[in-house]
Amino acid sequence: MQSVHIASAYDEELKFLSKRIAAMGGHAERMVEQAIAALVNADLGLAQKVIQDDLVLDEGQREIDDKAIIIIARRQPMATDLREIVGAIRISADIERVGDLGKNVAKRVASVDGRQPNSLFRGLEALANLALTQLKEVLDVYASRSVERIGFVRDRDDQIDAMYTSLFRELLTYMMEDPRNITPCTHLLFCAKNIERIGDHATNIAETIYYIVTGDQMPADRPKGDKTDQVVLPGMVPAK
Amino acid sequence: MQSVHIASAYDEELKFLSKRIAAMGGHAERMVEQAIAALVNADLGLAQKVIQDDLVLDEGQREIDDKAIIIIARRQPMATDLREIVGAIRISADIERVGDLGKNVAKRVASVDGRQPNSLFRGLEALANLALTQLKEVLDVYASRSVERIGFVRDRDDQIDAMYTSLFRELLTYMMEDPRNITPCTHLLFCAKNIERIGDHATNIAETIYYIVTGDQMPADRPKGDKTDQVVLPGMVPAK
């Protein structure tokens, strides 16, 4: 059969990669949504589900890697197709990491008692919504290959970083008010950091799509907006 | 010239990837060593150097990616060589992330005043030494392809996670003792997490080497030892 429909079988193989990545992306989005819902509602059952769901993405990434290498070996693709295939390897690695980050949030649910102020959970939800919107739109660009729409990514990345910085300050302040807040708020800090990283992976994916479509790298010096490494609240003096 | 020495030119191209990765690995190790030294000695100048040094790894990864794709397109490699080339792409991505993690530690130097107890800094140094030893030995295995020696990786990964968990607890305790410790110790917590992640990337690299040499994946369910997501210190009750 293959000898009769070589080109179309090849097309099918490339389409398989794209479809598999779209499915992985949808799965990762749901994991993150559910991890945040589990955190906000102190829902240990849902958290457990998210943790188990991560295996699907590990499996997906492995499948794409194996398939990609078989396609390269068998089809000896030309430049554009090769970028498509290598791009699929990179994007599936980023999606797999997004799933890990969702899982990390879920694993902290049991260590947060849900008695922290509502504003903190609303803040985390808002941050997660922004990061998920970023991820969804980037995956839409991947599906359509409409790379000219990719400009939104940098702007929203800056918004995510600004929101993360403000949440970071709020969490530190809350920890200083009462030592009983320190343990749960430390876990929430790591959750916030995990969500902020999801935005970074969405940006990585955008860069890979740009590379797939144009053959060029997006400029390297993308502004890094996470400024929390410089956050110092009252009560200590930074080193000179 | 190429037509005369095709095979040997091809070998040279593959060797180039290995050499470039060895150089990137050495660079990443130095960055992490210097980031820790900058943190322990509150050396802002050294921290600044580390931050700038990260560009070298970004550049290195891009060069390896570009070169790898050119080699695949031009040489249409068979299975073993293809694994070698795809492995180089993966390993350089992990090394680039190790550099990022070193840079993240360096960026926090200005926010830590160095007045925290010596034991915390000794703990961070010990954790970093363990993670760096892991990275060095994994890169040695890459250079020698002696994949039968790779068993050490899992054990040391467990040690790194255990040491990280103990440091995590110590930092939380210290934050509870005095609110003035909260800001600097939060930054030290993120530094510790960054160092622990270096160990994870070393493990990723080991898995890639195993794949390059054997063509198989190492079993997926590697035990995840970071248990800090379950650390709850006195002063709060976890959700039921």
Side-chain angles (χ1 to χ4, degrees):
Chain A
M1 291 202 311
Q2 203 186 62
S3 57
V4 186
H5 296 296
I6 288 177
S8 107
Y10 181 25
D11 286 347
E12 285 306 312
E13 286 172 5
L14 292 179
K15 267 190 207 154
F16 171 87
L17 294 181
S18 293
K19 273 192 206 159
R20 203 72 189 72
I21 281 178
M24 280 182 74
H27 189 86
E29 283 169 21
R30 270 191 306 282
M31 277 181 68
V32 175
E33 279 163 7
Q34 293 178 345
I36 299 297
L39 187 70
V40 170
N41 305 312
D43 184 340
L44 286 176
L46 187 57
Q48 204 51 45
K49 178 187 175 300
V50 172
I51 292 166
Q52 282 159 3
D53 271 0
D54 188 49
L55 287 176
V56 176
L57 293 184
D58 293 344
E59 192 51 51
Q61 187 192 2
R62 198 171 301 193
E63 190 185 351
I64 286 179
D65 278 8
D66 289 347
K67 201 88 174 184
I69 288 167
I70 291 170
I71 300 176
I72 296 174
R74 188 190 293 160
R75 306 296 186 178
Q76 302 172 343
M78 291 295 102
T80 317
D81 289 344
L82 194 53
R83 288 205 304 271
E84 188 72 41
I85 299 164
V86 173
I89 293 176
R90 283 189 202 160
I91 292 174
S92 78
D94 276 304
I95 294 175
E96 193 271 336
R97 274 300 297 157
V98 170
D100 276 349
L101 293 165
K103 184 176 72 171
N104 287 350
V105 170
K107 285 167 80 180
R108 293 185 191 276
V109 169
S111 305
V112 176
D113 57 4
R115 291 183 304 182
Q116 288 68 50
N118 246 324
S119 71
L120 290 180
F121 289 104
R122 293 296 89 75
L124 277 169
E125 276 182 320
L127 184 65
N129 285 340
L130 210 52
L132 281 170
T133 305
Q134 180 84 317
L135 181 62
K136 276 175 195 161
E137 297 199 0
V138 164
L139 291 170
D140 283 349
V141 172
Y142 177 67
S144 65
R145 301 292 194 279
S146 47
V147 78
E148 67 285 355
R149 283 175 46 215
I150 223 157
F152 70 84
V153 169
R154 296 278 156 88
D155 291 342
R156 196 173 298 110
D157 211 26
D158 290 345
Q159 287 173 42
I160 292 172
D161 289 324
M163 200 184 274
Y164 168 64
T165 302
S166 129
L167 200 53
F168 186 93
R169 286 177 170 280
E170 199 179 338
L171 282 161
L172 282 194
T173 307
Y174 197 63
M175 288 156 88
M176 286 177 176
E177 280 171 20
D178 186 341
R180 286 173 299 179
N181 294 330
I182 290 177
T183 299
C185 287
T186 297
H187 290 296
L188 293 178
L189 264 178
F190 276 104
C191 290
K193 182 69 194 169
N194 286 335
I195 298 167
E196 185 262 344
R197 289 286 302 152
I198 291 171
D200 288 341
H201 285 287
T203 305
N204 287 352
I205 295 173
E207 290 174 344
T208 302
I209 300 168
Y210 187 89
Y211 162 78
I212 291 174
V213 175
T214 67
D216 287 324
Q217 311 268 3
M218 278 172 96
D221 54 339
R222 82 181 197 232
K224 189 67 199 75
D226 172 5
K227 295 288 191 305
T228 58
D229 42 49
Q230 290 146 37
V231 170
V232 176
L233 292 194
M236 57 84 63
V237 181
K240 279 289 162 295
Chain B
M1 293 205 307
Q2 203 185 61
S3 58
V4 185
H5 297 296
I6 287 178
S8 108
Y10 181 24
D11 286 347
E12 285 305 314
E13 286 173 5
L14 292 180
K15 267 190 208 154
F16 171 86
L17 293 180
S18 293
K19 272 192 209 161
R20 202 71 188 73
I21 281 179
M24 280 181 74
H27 189 86
E29 283 168 23
R30 270 191 306 282
M31 277 181 67
V32 175
E33 280 163 5
Q34 292 178 346
I36 299 297
L39 187 69
V40 170
N41 305 313
D43 183 339
L44 286 175
L46 187 56
Q48 205 50 46
K49 177 186 176 300
V50 172
I51 293 166
Q52 283 159 2
D53 270 0
D54 188 49
L55 287 175
V56 175
L57 293 184
D58 293 344
E59 192 51 51
Q61 187 192 3
R62 197 171 301 192
E63 190 185 352
I64 285 179
D65 278 8
D66 289 346
K67 201 88 174 183
I69 288 167
I70 291 170
I71 299 176
I72 295 174
R74 189 189 293 159
R75 305 295 185 179
Q76 303 172 343
M78 292 295 102
T80 318
D81 288 346
L82 194 51
R83 288 206 304 272
E84 187 72 42
I85 298 165
V86 173
I89 293 177
R90 284 190 201 157
I91 292 173
S92 78
D94 277 302
I95 294 175
E96 192 271 335
R97 274 300 297 156
V98 170
D100 276 349
L101 293 164
K103 184 177 72 172
N104 288 350
V105 170
K107 285 167 80 179
R108 292 185 192 276
V109 169
S111 304
V112 177
D113 57 5
R115 291 183 305 181
Q116 288 69 50
N118 246 323
S119 71
L120 290 178
F121 290 104
R122 291 297 89 76
L124 277 169
E125 275 181 320
L127 184 66
N129 285 340
L130 210 52
L132 281 171
T133 305
Q134 179 84 315
L135 181 63
K136 276 175 196 160
E137 297 199 0
V138 164
L139 291 171
D140 282 349
V141 172
Y142 178 68
S144 65
R145 300 293 195 276
S146 46
V147 77
E148 67 284 355
R149 284 176 45 215
I150 224 158
F152 70 83
V153 169
R154 295 278 157 88
D155 292 342
R156 196 174 297 112
D157 212 25
D158 290 345
Q159 288 174 42
I160 291 172
D161 289 325
M163 200 183 274
Y164 168 64
T165 302
S166 129
L167 200 53
F168 186 92
R169 285 177 172 279
E170 198 180 338
L171 281 161
L172 282 194
T173 307
Y174 198 64
M175 287 156 87
M176 285 176 177
E177 281 171 18
D178 186 341
R180 284 173 299 181
N181 293 329
I182 291 177
T183 298
C185 286
T186 297
H187 290 295
L188 293 179
L189 264 178
F190 277 103
C191 290
K193 182 70 194 166
N194 286 335
I195 298 167
E196 186 262 344
R197 289 286 302 152
I198 291 171
D200 288 342
H201 285 286
T203 306
N204 288 351
I205 295 173
E207 289 174 345
T208 302
I209 299 168
Y210 187 87
Y211 162 78
I212 291 175
V213 174
T214 67
D216 287 324
Q217 310 270 2
M218 279 171 98
D221 54 339
R222 83 181 197 232
K224 189 65 199 77
D226 172 5
K227 294 288 189 305
T228 57
D229 40 50
Q230 291 146 38
V231 170
V232 176
L233 292 195
M236 56 86 60
V237 181
K240 281 287 163 296

